[in-house]
Amino acid sequence: GIQVEQSPPDLILQEGANSTLRCNFSDSVNNLQWFHQNPWGQLINLFYIPSGTKQNGRLSATTVATERYSLLYISSSQTTDSGVYFCAVGRYGNQFYFGTGTSLTVIP
Amino acid sequence: DTGVSQDPRHKITKRGQNVTFRCDPISEHNRLYWYRQTLGQGPEFLTYFQNEAQLEKSRLLSDRFSAERPKGSFSTLEIQRTEQGDSAMYLCASSEGQGYTEAFFGQGTRLTVV
């Protein structure tokens, strides 16, 4: 399978700060998604981004598929951004491989 | 459309009992996936369906686990003779068509085996 490494594993931010989360993967992929897992366990879709750059409000993401990494940027963080962020990658549409996530805590 | 729906949200069962979970995908989605997530880990792939065909099941954790999608719509995941190690969150996802498309997850079923 594809190995997915996320960094940092834990992150504590003051409200209003910016952060960058990284996802490295071990093989070529056709699918890549970023998720935010809320306290109740549901995975919320942030970006579907197998390549290129996308932005949605305070969040943006960049995937450089040829170099096997993706970055998630969070600007002006808010307490509601707290939770675990997962990167998931895949090939052929048959399954996703998840990293172990980055646990983000935003303090007021 | 309200997204992927899973039922029940929580299940507490005694060791040795059988449990069944249901997943209703987004209506136009042909692919359906089951994942398991234990504490502190990312979701782990179990199996997936393209319409009613189960195309990958080698990752099911043991022969106590089985999944069906009889009419290509909803799916069920059954665990027979549950063990304490089966305690986890079971997640269902769906995506449309073939190839490389975005997947959407349900709220999950949290199983506790006592």
Side-chain angles (χ1 to χ4, degrees):
Chain A
I2 303 173
Q3 306 303 311
V4 181
E5 294 183 357
Q6 291 187 243
S7 60
D10 300 282
L11 186 58
I12 300 175
L13 295 176
Q14 198 78 37
E15 198 169 26
N18 303 329
S19 62
T20 301
L21 282 57
R22 187 176 179 102
C23 171
N24 292 334
F25 41 96
S26 63
D27 207 341
S28 61
V29 300
N30 306 104
N31 283 9
L32 191 146
Q33 287 187 237
W34 283 97
F35 296 93
H36 178 210
Q37 190 162 42
N38 67 22
W40 298 272
Q42 184 167 12
L43 291 166
I44 307 299
N45 288 39
L46 297 177
F47 293 101
Y48 171 70
I49 186 165
S51 64
T53 297
K54 291 185 177 180
Q55 181 159 7
N56 184 4
R58 296 182 296 103
L59 303 182
S60 63
T62 295
T63 297
V64 184
T66 53
E67 297 187 20
R68 301 180 184 172
Y69 73 90
S70 183
L71 302 173
L72 177 68
Y73 305 95
I74 304 174
S75 65
S76 304
S77 57
Q78 301 176 357
T79 56
T80 52
D81 295 331
S82 296
V84 182
Y85 290 79
F86 285 104
C87 167
V89 304
R91 283 195 301 244
Y92 316 123
N94 56 358
Q95 66 173 282
F96 276 100
Y97 298 88
F98 281 78
T100 52
T102 291
S103 177
L104 173 65
T105 302
V106 181
I107 54 178
Chain B
D1 190 352
T2 57
V4 180
S5 177
Q6 292 189 245
D7 184 71
R9 295 287 309 280
H10 303 275
K11 178 72 176 178
I12 300 174
T13 191
K14 292 184 178 180
R15 190 172 50 189
Q17 298 295 305
N18 299 342
V19 294
T20 300
F21 310 140
R22 177 178 171 124
C23 172
D24 288 88
I26 294 172
S27 58
E28 66 269 23
H29 284 186
N30 296 323
R31 289 200 166 194
L32 186 148
Y33 311 81
W34 284 100
Y35 285 79
R36 185 180 83 151
Q37 186 178 21
T38 54
L39 196 62
Q41 300 297 314
E44 172 189 19
F45 172 77
L46 296 178
T47 187
Y48 89 105
F49 295 84
Q50 173 79 33
N51 298 312
E52 66 275 13
Q54 190 173 13
L55 298 185
E56 175 59 66
K57 58 181 179 181
S58 65
R59 303 294 294 276
L60 286 168
L61 301 165
S62 78
D63 58 7
R64 297 185 296 106
F65 288 71
S66 63
E68 293 184 341
R69 194 183 182 196
K71 298 183 179 179
S73 57
F74 74 92
S75 175
T76 58
L77 177 70
E78 182 182 16
I79 308 174
Q80 296 182 329
R81 305 180 303 281
T82 52
E83 302 173 357
Q84 286 189 323
D86 297 332
S87 295
M89 174 77 89
Y90 291 85
L91 296 163
C92 175
S94 70
S95 66
E96 63 180 37
Q98 301 188 18
Y100 322 123
T101 58
E102 187 174 7
F104 296 84
F105 280 79
Q107 293 173 303
T109 294
R110 188 173 297 279
L111 173 66
T112 302
V113 182
V114 297

